[in-house]
Each structure stands twice: as C-alpha cells, then as structure tokens.
Amino acid sequence: MSKNGSRKRAAPPSQPPPAKQPSMTQEEEFMDEDVFLDETLLSTDEESLILRDIEQRQSLATRLSKWTRPPLHADYVSQSRSVVFQQLEIDYVIGESHKDLLPNTSGPAAIIRIFGVTKEGHSVCCNVHGFEPYFYICCPPGMGPDDISHFHQTLEGRMREANRNSNVGKFVRRIEMVQRRSIMYYQQSNYQPFLKIVVALPTMVASCRGILDRGIQLDGLGMKSFLTYESNVLFALRFMIDCNVVGGNWIEVPAGKYKKTARSLSYCQLEFDCLYSELISNAPEGEYSKMAPFRILSFDIECAGRKGHFPEPTHDPVIQIANLVTLQGEDQPLIRNVMTLKSCSPIVGVDVMSFDTEREVLLAWRDFIREVDPDIIIGYNICKFDLPYLIERAVNLKIAEFPILGRIRNSRVRVKDTTFSSRQYGTRESKEVTVEGRVQFDLLQVMQRDYKLSSYSLNSVSAHFLSEQVTSSNPGMPLCLGHEKEDVHHSIISDLQNGNAETRRRLAVYCLKDAYLPQRLLDKLMFIYNYVEMARVTGVPISFLLSRGQSIKVLSQLLRKARQKNLVLPNVKQTGSEQGTFEGATGDQNNDDFPAPLANWALSLECDNAVLEARAGFYEKPIATLDFASLYPSIMMAYNLCYCTLVTPEDARKLNIPPESVNKTPSGETFVKSNLQKGILPEILEELLTARKRAKADLKLAKDPLEKAVLDGRQLALKISANSVYGFTGATVGQLPCLEISSSVTSYGRQMIEHTKKLVEDTFTTLNGYEHNAEVIYGDTDSVMVQFGVSSVEEAMNLGREAAEYISGTFTKPIKLEFEKVYFPYLLISKKRYAGLFWTRPDNFDKMDTKGIETVRRDNCLLVKNLVNDCLHKILIDRDIPGAVQYVKNAISDLLMNRMDLSLLVITKGLTKTGDDYEVKTAHVELAERMRKAYERSEDPIYVLENNIPIDPQYYLENQISKPILRIFEPILKNASKELLQGSHTRSISISTPSNSGILKFAKKQLTCIGCKALLSNGHHTLCSHCKGREAELYCKTVAQVSDLEILFGRLWTQCQECQGSLHQDVLCTSRDCPIFYRRKKAQKDMAEAKLQLDRWNF
Amino acid sequence: MERVQCSYHSEDEAFKIGKETYRGQQYSQIYFARLHLMRTLLYSLVPHWKPNFPVCTVLGLEEGKECVIVGTLYKHMKLKPCILDEYSKERSVVPLVKSHNFMHPDDHLVLEDESGRVKLSGNPISPSEYVTGNVVALLGKESGAGDFLVLEVLDAGLPPQIEFPLKSREDKYVVIVSGLSVGSSNSNPLQVQLLIDHITGHLGDEKEQTIASQITHVVFAGNSVEIPRRLLNGQNSTSKDLSRMAESIKELDILLSQIAAGLTLDIMPGPSDPSNFSLPQQPLHRCLFPGSSQYNTFRSCTNPHCFELDNVRFLGTSGQNIDDLEKYSDAKDKLEFMERTLRWRHVAPTAPNTLGCYPYTDRDPFFIESCPHVYFVGNQDKYETRVIKGSEGQLVRLICVPKFSETGVAIMLNLRDLECHTLSFGTQLSS
C-alpha cells in the first residue's frame, strides 16, 4: 500500500482498542469513533506545498471564484448579529479544550461541530464546547454520597489500566448522584438514585461500560457488575437530545455569545466557538420550518475502461467530471460545468473546462468543491463508486493533496469499508467516504431503500419517475431532449475519449446528463423535504437516515421522551438471537395511492397470525373494505402498552394492583392502565398522530408549494415513524426489544379482526332486516373485506360506512374502523394475493389495484408481467373472461411458434446464479449468463438473437407463465389448467435452428421453395413448379412481411435517435433496460433477412 | 383515329434500391448526407442573402453576435406518438385518443449540425410550418438563455428548371389517376371500367373519341389495389384468403392490360399496394401482372416517381410525403405543403423521422435537384391545383390527385400548356 493510502486511516495509533470487538453489525452502528483533529490535518510543510500548488492554479481559481457564496454582512464580521442557521450535519472531533470558554478544564475534549447554512446562504461551522459524554448506572444500594469519590477513584484506576497509551489526564471527569428511574416495568416507587458517570471522551463510554459490565471490585460490596443505562447513545445524538436539537432544524447563537475561531480551520464563511448552553434550538415551526438555500452539488465521473474490464482505479483514468450546482428551492441550476481530460468542444449553456493531464482534472475538481462549498453532495452511486474511485485514483497517481474535499482545511476525507445489514434492506457492502461537513445523498441508495423497482439503473429509474418531464424544464441544455437517458457502453467510452474534441464532447454530454438526472429525481421526488422532515420528526441527523437502520429513529424519540420524564433506558445485553431482527411495522398499507416515497419503510413483514382465511374466488358483487386506521399504534395507545407499564408476572403477584387498573392482553401479558402510569410509547404515538393530523390540516390550508412540500413530507414522516414504533419493540437484536409489547400488539390485532368479522356477520343479516346476509371473505392484518350481498357500489358503500361506524363504537379509543373503498369486481386468489377495481366514489372506479400478483416482481420476464396485466384488465375492467382466455391461448401459441418478441423473455434474476446452477442449459440461461459476463463481451444481450439460439418454450410455459396465470384463472375457471395450458393452441411448435451449433457446420444450405418449403432443383430460385401458379399471392405475402418490418425498423431506430438527441450521429446506446433495445436489434436482423428473401424474387 | 405519341424518359434510377441491403446501417447517414448536400447549396446562397454576416456552426455561436447558421431542424413534439409508450408503460385504463395531427402549442424547434444543437426562438421561424429533417439557413444570435433568436430564415428555394418545351402546338393529354383500390369495398368496378373505356376510346361520340386519342400516357399514382393487411399479418391466413387477395390483383391486371394494349402507362406503388412500406417504394413486381406486363407499354415504377414526357418533367408521389407533413405541421391546403417541399428541395423531409425510408448510407435520393414542371401527389381527399412561380422564372403545376374510388375523378393534363381538368365518372343514374 502506498504512503498515501496508509495515511488515510483516521484512527490514531494511540487510540485505545475497543474493549470488545463488536460482533454484530447492529451494534457497530452505535459505536462512536473519536477522530483526533490534529491527526487528520496535514503537516505544515505539506500544507505549504499545497498552498504553492494553489497559487500556481490561480488562473483557474479566478474562474471558480465567481461561484463563491455571497459575501458576509458587516454585522457578521463584527460579530454583532446573532447567527441563525439551519444545521445539516453534526459531528465531533477531539481537540484541546477551549481555554477562554472553559477556563476550568484542560486536556483533550470532544468538540461538537455543527455545519449549516444561514438564510442568506452563508456557510456556518459552529464549534460547540463543553458538552461531555456520559451514561448512567443504577446506584448500588448502600452507596451513599460519600462512597462516590471512592468509586470514582476505583473506576478511574481501571480505566487507566485499560487505556495505558492514552495521554488523557482524567478519564472519568466526575460522578454525580441523580434521581432517575428505569423505563423498564411498572414501578410504584417514583425515583431511585442513579450515578451519572461523565467521561472525558466519547469512546470512553464504551470502554467504561465494558469495565462495569465485567464487574468492578468495590470496598464493602465486593465484586459487582453493573447494568449501564444509555451507554449506547452516539455522542452527537446525545448532544442533540440534551440540547433539544432535531435533525435539520434552525439553531441560533445570540450575538456576543460566540467567538470567531482564533485560527480558522474550516472553509466555512462563519466559523466560531460557543458553549453548548448558549445554543438556542428552534422548533421547526413557522419561519423555522423553511429550508435554507443550501447548495446541492450533483456530479458524475466517467472513466476510460479497458475493453472487457470494469474500470479499476489502479488502471483506468478519470476522464470527465460533470457538475451541477443548484440552490435549494430554485428550479434552475446555478452552475453547470464539465471537466474533461483533453480538449472538448463547447456545449451550449455549459462551462467546459479541459485539461491536459488527469492530475489537473482531479485538482480542478477539488478546487471546484472548495470554491462552490456544497452543503449536500448528490449523485447516482457516488458513495460506492464515484467518490471512492476518485480517491483511490488520486492515491494511484500520487496526488496527496487531492482528497481534501471536506469543509475542514487540510483535512483529508476518510474512507472505510462498511457493511450495513438489516432485514428490511438486506446486507449491503459499501465504502463509506466521510466528507466532513457535507451531507452525501446517494440517490441509488435512496431508491433501493424507498422503492421497489425492477431495475435500479439510473436509466430506468429516470424513465420511471421522470419520463413525462425530462424534456421541458431545461431550455439551456440541448442535451436532455431525449425521452430517457441514453446508455453508452463503457467500452465505447474509451473510443470516444480517444477520438477528437467532438467525440469527447459527446461523452461530456452523457456525463452531464448523469449529473443532471439525480438532481431531477431529487426535485421530482421531494427527497430534500421528505428527508429533512423525517430528521426533524425523529430527531436524528439527516446523514443517519441513509446510513443507519430504522431503530435509531425510534430510539432517538424514546430517549427524548424519557429524558423529559427522568427515565433512563437500560443498555440491555443483546441475546444474539438471529431470528426476528428489526421488522418494519405494519400500518395502514391499504393506502396504496399514497405517493409515498417512504411508504415502503412501513412494509409489513408481519407473520400471518393476524390474517383471516381467504375465501378465494371471483366476486362479482361489490366488496366493501373496512380498514383499521393505524391499527398497531392505536392498539398501543388504547391499551397503554409500554416498557414502563409492563408488569412482570412476579410483580403482578407482589404488587397487589387492583384488577380494574390493569389490562390483560390476549397473549397473557399484564400492563397497567394509564390512570396508574401513562406509557411513554403511547404518548410518543399520540404526539406523532396529533402532529400528523395537524400537518394534514395545515397542508389543506397551505398555498405556497414549498410550504406544501414541507408539510407533506412531515405528515409522511410522522406516519412512518408512528408505524415503526411497534417494530422497534419486536426487534430482538434491536436496541431495546420487548417482546411482551410486540406480541401483545399482534394478539390484540388478531382479536380486533375476528371481533369485526363476528360483529359484521352477526349484525348484517336478513334476520336484522337487511336484504342479504353479510359475509366476511377475507381479513388482512388491518382490514376486513365484506360482501354485503348488495349489487351496487353505492349500497355497498352505505353499508360499509354504517358497519365501520357501528363497530368502531365497540372498540377502546382510539382504535377506529374506517370505511374507505369498495372492490368491484374482486378477484381473491389467496391471502395477500388479490386484484380488483378500486372505488372510492360510487360513480366511477379509481384504478385497478393488485396485491401480491406478478406485476412488479423483477425475476419475471416482461411477458409474464404483460400477460398478467392484460388478463386482469380484460377480466376486471372489460369483464370479458372468454377474451382473457383467448388472449392467454394466443400468447402461448405465439410462444410455442417462436413468434414471441425476444425482449419479452429476458429474465433479470439470472444475475444471481451462475450457469452451472441450472440443470438444463436453456436460452434464457444463456441470456442471463451472457449478461453476467457483460463486461467481457460487449454485444452479449444480442448473442442469442444473432446466433439463433433456440428459446426453450417449455421452460417459459412451465416455470414462468403457468403459475401466475393459473393463480388468476383458478378462482374463475373450473379446469383452468386444462383449458389454458393444453389444447390445440399448444400443438404447433417451431424452434429455430442455432446457427453456431456443431452439426450445422456440416450442413449444406439449399434453397427451398418460398411457398411450400420443398427443396428447389436446378433452375428454380424462388418457387417450385408446383407453387408457380400462386406466384402473385406468395409474393404479396413476402412483401407484406418486409413492409411490416420496415415500419417497425423505422419507428424503433428513429426513436433511439430521438432519445440520444442527435440526428447526425449513430445511435450507440446499449441500455439493457430500454424496453426497445432487443426489439431494435431484432428488427435490424429480421429486416436484413426479409430483404434477402424478397430479393430472391428479382432473379 | 390515331393516338398521339410522345417521348418518354424515366428518371427513377435514383429511387431504385436494387441489391442494397440492411447491413446494420442507421439513419444518421441519410441526415448527414442531406445536411451536406443542402448546406453546400445554402452556403452558396448566403453571400447573396446576407453578405455582411459571418457564417457559424452551432458550436461557434457567441452570445449576442449576429450570424448565419445552417443545420437540420429537429422539432420537439409533445404529442408525437412514441413507440416506447406502447411497449412497457403501465397500460392506461382510458385508451389513448388517436388524433390525425400531433401538433401542440408547446412544440419547439432545435437546430442541429454535426457540432451540436441549439434551441430556436423568435417569430420568423414557426414550429407549425417546419418539421424534423428540414435543412435551413438562419440569421440570428444567441440569447442569454442559450437559445438562438432567429431574425430571418432562408429556405433553399425552388431548384433550377429545364426549359419548358414551347415548340409543341399540339394538345397531348396525360391522365393521372390514383386510388383505384380494386378489391376494396369502396371500389366500383363499373366506374373503373368507364375510366378505362374512356381512355382507350371505347366510349362516347366521335368528339370524345378524338379527345381520347389525344391521351398519350396514363399514370396510376398509387393504391391501385387494396390488400387487406389483416390477411397478411394474420398468423394463419388460410389459402382461401390468399387466393381471394390474388383475385383483386388479377382484376387489376386485366384492367391494366386493356390500357397497355393502346397506350403507355406507369403504375406507381402506394401504401395499400403489395409493395414495401418504406420510401422509396419499389416497383410492383411483374409477377403480379402476368397479363399487362407482356406489353412494353406497361411500366412499373417507383414511388416517388420522376419522368419526362416530351421534355416536360414530372415528379409525383402516391401521397405519403404530404400526408405525413399534414400530421406534423400545418398549412392552409395540401398544395401549400407541396409548394413547401419544393422550396425545401426535398420530396420527403419527414423521412426517416416519421415517414419510413430506406437507411441510405451515402446519399439522399429525395433531394430535388431539378425543378419539375408538373408535381402531383396521389390519394388525396379532393382535387386541387395551382401553378407556382419561382424566383428564376420556374413554373410548376401542382396537382392533388383525388382517390378515384371515393370521388370517381381522374386528372387530365395537357402537355402543351400544362392546363389541367378533371374527368368525372359516375354510375348513379341522375333523374
């Protein structure tokens, strides 16, 4: 490893090794890492080297300087104005304790750094002093105030032993006795003495916890081990909680309370020191709910790969970097530029900067970052690819001064490999590049987190979300006229780079497009608003939202609430049980129309125990759906389920609580009612739901679109947060699992559903004067489907409303049954699988709603998706069952006759398996296999096409089509399988002969008659003598085929030309996500063949 | 009575595809070839048009500097149907409304040359008039927003014309008919037979026969038969269907041989004929016409079709070029579209973008080098005609030839003075 590589390691050698290697990723998530300020900075001679380098680059600097932030007002310079800023990032470093602000302390201390932006657009770096890391332990009985100092000494001694290399003067700063209570279990006594242990540095919390966990010898008490409280709270979060700071809110530092730093360490315009007690944290309301004009940089790099290889930083140069800087709230970018290696022709509206060496390109980018000073860096896959690549490339080129991209002067970015795993998002390996003071927002990560898509390439994601608008909003940019992003294969990139200024310009246009699209996605999907609101609601820094799991958000809220009540959270030893990791809570998932970018967070992974048996069938009468609004949160509120209301069986016997003051849950747990002790979780939930109601009400009144965006983001964040509380309690490897709560919730849930079913079926009967007997046909986790027997949607709606109201009355508040929609007709396949037309108004249906049906799964080929969609369309909307049957038959016949469009048959999942795993080598394997090796053969996807490799229709019929189709038709047809999959339409089979297989190399080609396929003897070229008489009609047939192909050929290729945004240049696009990619290729091939066939007539 | 004769010279060679094949070539080459041809031409005109302005490429534009640029237009159209939509998009519950014109007020033009693209603004260039594929010269300047503000537009203008032959004082007629649609439900066999009989002189009194004897040539401008597409696209077309289709072709062959026995005829393929789809459409195969093709007076031609009769130059199409222009641009009548194609010196500017065409690699056969005297377009809704004049004294007779099967109208054109009138055939007995 080179010299530079090793220096990037941030951990100083003197840092004490953690007491115990954390074994679980979940735990790792909650580790602080002390970064020593001095060690990250470059030495002074290196610094002067860089300064010299900067001087040399003065000319470039003037070019960059026009993009700097607005100059500071004199009030700021004289420090006579309060600094009010929206903070985006909070971290901490270890530095020397501030002598003026903290005259009584010395030695290293943790300094909180808050980075943010004022409303004028000035960048702020606020160094907060005096906040100390701490945690609690329960005061051992018998330990009086006098014993504390002795305990302190013992602990200090043990700490010193464990951290021998450290030069810290005092490890345990002080120990205070405070009155607190554990959050766990209902307790009649109010408070108990706790010891608050304040340590010098954040990592010492873990080290100290280790010592106390293992046990410590105490005079008079002997060897004693302690359960620690709140020792797993990250330092930055601890600060935020204690100072009432929530992610992305506005912080005010009054004039006179801050001091300009002696030596400015950051590139921020306003850099100052202050005491943590002087900060004013503003609640995100009114003026403070707005967003500061922060700068968002969207960038993309291009690397010149070698043929057959994915670009590697050890070999392949970075040839272009495109940048787009936008101010939050503006719809046009402030800056558009591209930095290229070697000359590049100008692009209208874009600043093209060309350099002769790669070194200059990289350094120009670094200077650009420094001048523009972005607050948020976005891009597509930047965290895993672009940023690490740039940094590793600089290491390879020995450009030591490159990776100074953060806001701290001369501080290098830090790179580390991380594994993030969560049941919800799966395990992902990534590189974490820490760019101090700037938030990284990788759109790829966001997409993978928030949306379920069949492909996550920028290309297809853009097409999915932006298709209708990509073109209109960018007049200055001639490059985005395309329908969607064109995909240039990496092997062509080198050719373009090695061409001339024109070809490099072409490349630059792609690069710009890749930088432009993430910004468009960010705008279109309101990510800034939604994520900032989520940070505000849950109180965690914005960066946590992307890099960490769900539980920290709930933990943050729980800690905040507990702090108000003087409750403390135990740091429960994790059991290490693998089952039941964090599960997302279930909520009112039926709100599918919810435009929810974050809706998937509330994915229901709940086991089936709360589901009623589905009575499969095709219902041609309206089915009313009764939904529980926020069922699980409501249950927790209604029955006061919380850590602090739970009564252990032992206590239940001992404490003698009157039975009318407790609830026994269906799962057998006991919780006290709110008159004895109000639960914290119900309180949090209540606040979240009230806040959501308020946000929704405000949303209705709001007129300003930006205000609306904020409020909508907020109500969404509130909903998701409310739903994730339940999951937090059920996560056995989580922070504070409490299965008593989660199992009680689900058991109540099930009870509610059954209760509803019973009540509906008992009440809505002919005996009670209704026209029909109501029948519950299915019940989901939080909804019940009822067939009232009436035939009009309107009647069903009325009855649905009546039922919801009546049944709601029988529940404990706030559990409430709501009536929202009617399905008509409704195709119920099995539990969690259904389709139907969705009505909320009696006059017209809203949409077709499907659940659990193969319309989106990515491991299905397009054929299945289209087939299922079209069938459902025919069945539900056209109400044409015979038509649907015929449609399926035709499709099967087409498949068997080899008339199917190849692109419909591509299966994407093949990427996970290697070819050997498949028993039979069929064409789709070939396709998948080839795609896996895509970097070895540039024209692979077309391989099958070009070599006439036979498609195995039986495979598709049996493994792809039959199951989904039968599922749909079984409730409708009696002998679905026989009817659809067997019969005359399956008899005729045609398989193309591979042109590259062994035996055919020996075969001699002989012309056959176009009419009857008979071999032609000498003299005849087109038709045999028998068919000669039908010459005209056979010619018509041939020419008609040519004609059809010509239509297709023309439309496909002109479309691609349109996408690429140029008429005069060949289409290079090889995007496999493009729906017409294979068709285009196939049309080209078929066209050539058909033309040859036609030419046979012209002898 | 003797039929008048005239000399015939075919200029179709440029439209023949012959042995050219699809080898993976794309459409960029034809645009490139067109830009090259047209730009050379426009550059030669610019010094007379705007002698005092520099000529730039799109890349060479500087903000605020007035200059002339030449390039291919691209019209961004919101409503233009897109093949991507019909493929993978969520199928909408409401079927898309098919409109016959895809114009939208938001449409805008972009000028492109090899170096880049620039969005156009300014009144002199109207997005409703131009289409993707036009090559024009523009005077203007780059505005602050990165647009090119157009101040004036220069089209290539009518091409040079060979001299109109004046020596002939004799009336000679050419009959142009389109859309016989033999085999379609609209076609009236009696009406067609009347037309044939009139041309061959088997109808009417001596006066009429005299006129008939002055007919020297007949042009069938496309859609002579109608082959139901579904018969051919259908997966399993039965031999019965096929032979029924062959029936209509046979019928046409019989009709044509009656004419070919007496005078020369040109038959052009149209969209409904058994020919290829892309322009230039290739001559209908002789095997379809076993009878009439025996005569040397029978000529199967390309579409577009270009020929000279007694040194009078004809250019005609079966209508696709003008019909397509009508979908993507706007004009007061069909003749105006025709006039524009002449001024643009391009028969089919929308090809290949929205009009199928063969992907030529080195040339653009639709470029009009020499101005025709007669320019006709077949298969239109109604008969229209006008004479236009060029700046260098060119005179062109424009004719919209109506569909015969719907109107019963054929066109008679006098070669002597390019006067033209209609022949109407009706089979209804008027009371």
Side-chain angles (χ1 to χ4, degrees), chain A residues 11-12 14-20 30-36 92 94 109-110 132-135 159 163 166 168 171 199-211 231 233-235:
Chain A
S14 60
Q15 196 189 18
K20 198 182 100 197
F30 291 92
M31 291 284 288
D32 271 313
E33 187 193 0
D34 287 354
V35 175
F36 287 75
Y92 75 96
I94 308 300
E132 295 167 309
Y134 66 88
F135 64 98
M159 284 293 283
N163 303 288
S166 177
V168 178
F171 289 92
V199 293
L201 299 180
T203 43
M204 289 174 188
V205 170
S207 141
C208 203
R209 176 184 64 205
I211 291 167
S231 58
V233 184
L234 289 167
F235 185 59

Side-chain angles (χ1 to χ4, degrees), chain B residues 74-317:
Chain B
Y74 168 80
K75 178 149 78 170
H76 180 74
M77 299 184 78
K78 208 174 174 174
L79 300 182
K80 187 186 167 210
C82 169
I83 193 163
L84 290 172
D85 292 341
E86 68 193 55
Y87 206 56
S88 66
K89 284 278 146 62
E90 295 284 310
R91 313 205 166 201
S92 66
V93 176
V94 193
L96 296 164
V97 183
K98 293 253 187 226
S99 75
H100 71 287
N101 184 297
F102 304 110
M103 309 264 293
H104 188 273
D106 289 353
D107 292 350
H108 61 261
L109 291 168
V110 170
L111 188 84
E112 177 179 331
D113 63 14
E114 303 97 319
S115 69
R117 280 188 161 192
V118 65
K119 192 180 162 191
L120 303 179
S121 61
N123 286 329
I125 190 149
S126 151
S128 66
E129 184 176 336
Y130 289 90
V131 292
T132 298
N134 286 140
V135 179
V136 290
L138 302 173
L139 172 72
K141 60 184 178 187
E142 192 191 334
S143 71
D147 289 4
F148 186 78
L149 182 69
V150 180
L151 301 171
E152 262 185 79
V153 188
L154 176 71
D155 296 327
L158 293 191
Q161 197 173 35
I162 51 166
E163 207 180 320
F164 186 71
L166 286 171
K167 50 183 188 283
S168 160
R169 290 285 98 216
E170 194 184 354
D171 284 331
K172 283 186 188 175
Y173 289 99
V174 175
V175 172
I176 309 173
V177 61
S178 71
L180 290 185
S181 298
V182 173
S184 91
S185 53
N186 285 337
S187 167
N188 180 344
L190 179 56
Q191 208 177 20
V192 180
Q193 193 56 53
L194 281 176
L195 170 72
I196 304 290
D197 288 349
H198 178 81
I199 293 171
T200 51
H202 290 93
L203 215 61
D205 54 15
E206 195 159 315
K207 188 172 154 245
E208 272 183 45
Q209 286 183 2
T210 314
I211 296 173
S213 73
Q214 287 167 334
I215 299 175
T216 169
H217 188 70
V218 185
V219 178
F220 291 91
N223 290 1
S224 307
V225 286
E226 186 163 294
I227 306 274
R229 288 263 147 201
R230 53 166 192 88
L231 282 189
L232 298 161
N233 295 352
Q235 292 152 0
N236 301 307
S237 44
T238 60
S239 53
K240 203 164 124 201
D241 290 332
L242 281 173
S243 57
R244 199 166 70 221
M245 175 185 76
E247 282 308 310
S248 9
I249 297 172
K250 215 169 268 171
E251 194 182 327
L252 177 67
D253 186 32
I254 293 166
L255 293 169
L256 294 181
S257 22
Q258 296 173 41
I259 297 178
L263 67 164
T264 58
L265 75 90
D266 284 357
I267 180 162
M268 294 161 60
S272 77
D273 288 312
S275 173
N276 61 326
F277 166 81
S278 294
L279 291 186
Q281 282 187 295
Q282 296 306 294
L284 294 168
H285 201 275
R286 302 180 74 82
C287 74
L288 300 170
F289 307 106
S292 42
S293 66
Q294 300 300 317
Y295 297 94
N296 62 0
T297 47
F298 172 91
R299 298 190 197 102
S300 184
C301 314
T302 59
N303 168 35
H305 179 33
C306 186
F307 58 99
E308 279 174 24
L309 278 177
D310 279 350
N311 296 321
V312 175
R313 197 175 171 90
F314 284 72
L315 175 65
T317 74

Side-chain angles (χ1 to χ4, degrees), chain A residues 303-306 308-318 358 385 388-390 392-393 396 490:
Chain A
C303 316
R306 289 149 295 142
H309 293 273
F310 192 79
E312 287 166 40
T314 41
H315 293 96
D316 306 307
V318 173
E358 200 186 343
F385 182 74
Y389 196 97
L390 285 171
E392 281 172 54
R393 187 67 194 152
N396 268 287
H490 72 285

Side-chain angles (χ1 to χ4, degrees), chain A residues 446-462:
Chain A
V446 181
M447 288 297 163
Q448 287 176 334
R449 216 168 223 257
D450 297 354
Y451 295 97
K452 212 174 158 201
L453 299 174
S454 56
S455 163
Y456 288 100
S457 71
L458 178 55
N459 198 352
S460 75
V461 169
S462 310

Side-chain angles (χ1 to χ4, degrees), chain A residues 72 256 483 839:
Chain A
L72 281 183
H483 180 88
W839 304 65

Side-chain angles (χ1 to χ4, degrees), chain A residues 346 901 903 1046 1063 1066-1067, chain B residues 26 28 59 72 87 112 233 277:
Chain A
D901 180 352
S903 58
E1046 280 176 340
L1063 300 173
D1066 267 352
V1067 176
Chain B
Q26 303 183 10
S28 57
L59 270 189
T72 311
Y87 206 56
E112 177 179 331
N233 295 352
F277 166 81

Side-chain angles (χ1 to χ4, degrees), chain A residues 484-545:
Chain A
E484 58 182 288
K485 184 189 164 306
E486 181 189 12
D487 204 4
V488 179
H489 200 266
H490 72 285
S491 63
I492 301 175
I493 291 180
S494 296
D495 295 341
L496 291 175
Q497 171 67 12
N498 295 333
N500 52 26
E502 286 296 326
T503 62
R504 283 188 289 273
R505 175 188 184 273
R506 201 164 178 205
L507 197 55
V509 169
Y510 301 131
C511 195
L512 277 160
K513 220 178 233 187
D514 284 8
Y516 174 74
L517 289 173
Q519 178 67 46
R520 291 273 300 123
L521 286 170
L522 190 82
D523 293 343
K524 169 92 195 224
L525 299 173
M526 299 273 180
F527 281 136
I528 292 291
Y529 296 102
N530 293 336
Y531 272 77
V532 167
E533 282 306 319
M534 180 55 96
R536 285 172 173 175
V537 165
T538 58
V540 300
I542 296 162
S543 56
F544 280 25
L545 296 178

